[in-house]
Amino acid sequence: MSGSDVRDGRVWLSGGHGNQLAPLVTKMRSDFGEGFPVWTESLAWTASSGSDNYYEAQVNEGVRLLSEEIRSIVACPVRPKILLAGHSGGADVVTRTLSYLAGSGVTVFIDGAVVYGDPSTTQTQNWNAKGVTSSNGVFRRTDAKTTLINNSYRYYGWNYDNLSSTTPGYFPRVRAYCNPGDWACRGPLGGGWSNAAHNAYTGNTQDVFNWYMYVTDNAN
């Protein structure tokens, strides 16, 4: 989704979040906490349909832009906590960027990442939200890249989805939502055919907000 007024050739200063993420952006700005400044921005990148090769080139450009933006934020004298979110092709950009940055000194500054309907979903990822069954997306990533993300973005503490547990451990700083029937994160072979399901994630806004609050306090 496009916005207006590009800064540094990477992010829109206004708009561009897309319908599925707009409610989350609004909630973050209004409810994250008094006295806790929140800056939100959207990547100056627009997903379009086309051939597989064209899509691949687009997503790689998104990874470049997002990686550069993250590194620029980390270079600030006062480093903010970084929370990422993406839907559809934007979700693919987010998870590919996480894989690309894995092993670098940047990963410690990314406190959380949420994706909706990620086409690169794999059955081996350990970051599905509670109640989301495993699946393979239409452009599923390699198991090696999934393992990089599994191992590189974790916090030590208690499981957000099972706070009654008395045993701490390592849990993902990434959270994925994939609706039944979503063609992108389940793929046609997995029974995903519904475009409506692919664009029905706004109901997760409160859970994502709560999870963001939790990992912001606990990520390390």
Side-chain angles (χ1 to χ4, degrees):
M1 303 294 290
S2 62
S4 59
D5 301 326
V6 177
R7 177 176 65 77
D8 296 331
R10 294 191 298 266
V11 296
W12 300 113
L13 292 181
S14 176
H17 301 287
N19 293 336
Q20 300 305 302
L21 294 176
L24 177 62
V25 172
T26 299
K27 190 165 187 64
M28 293 292 292
R29 288 173 173 169
S30 63
D31 296 354
F32 204 81
E34 294 184 8
F36 193 96
V38 175
W39 172 263
T40 61
E41 57 187 25
S42 58
L43 202 65
W45 174 86
T46 302
S48 299
S49 60
S51 67
D52 288 356
N53 288 339
Y54 181 66
Y55 174 81
E56 188 74 11
Q58 278 190 299
V59 172
N60 286 338
E61 174 63 7
V63 170
R64 183 186 71 80
L65 292 172
L66 183 55
S67 299
E68 288 181 0
E69 183 64 13
I70 291 171
R71 291 185 187 279
S72 73
I73 293 171
V74 170
C76 292
V78 179
R79 298 186 183 103
K81 294 178 181 292
I82 298 174
L83 300 170
L84 306 176
H87 168 244
S88 195
D92 200 349
V93 169
V94 167
T95 50
R96 290 198 199 198
T97 300
L98 294 178
S99 172
Y100 174 72
L101 294 176
S104 72
V106 174
T107 58
V108 68
F109 299 107
I110 300 175
D111 282 47
V114 165
V115 291
Y116 295 156
D118 180 8
S120 67
T121 296
T122 68
Q123 289 188 334
T124 57
Q125 66 189 39
N126 69 354
W127 59 83
N128 288 337
K130 186 176 182 179
V132 175
T133 58
S134 62
S135 62
N136 286 317
V138 66
F139 297 130
R140 64 181 183 179
R141 78 185 73 80
T142 65
D143 287 346
K145 290 182 177 180
T146 296
T147 298
L148 270 178
I149 300 172
N150 282 341
N151 294 338
S152 301
Y153 299 89
R154 304 183 298 172
Y155 71 88
Y156 185 80
W158 284 265
N159 185 352
Y160 167 79
D161 291 316
N162 185 22
L163 293 178
S164 63
S165 172
T166 59
T167 305
Y170 286 98
F171 299 99
R173 281 185 276 153
V174 188
R175 192 166 180 84
Y177 297 81
C178 179
N179 287 332
D182 185 332
W183 62 266
C185 53
R186 300 211 175 270
L189 294 180
W193 299 96
S194 173
N195 200 49
H198 183 58
N199 293 292
Y201 288 96
T202 58
N204 297 302
T205 298
Q206 186 65 56
D207 185 62
V208 173
F209 176 79
N210 292 345
W211 182 78
Y212 271 165
M213 291 287 284
Y214 186 78
V215 294
T216 298
D217 288 339
N218 290 276
N220 53 60

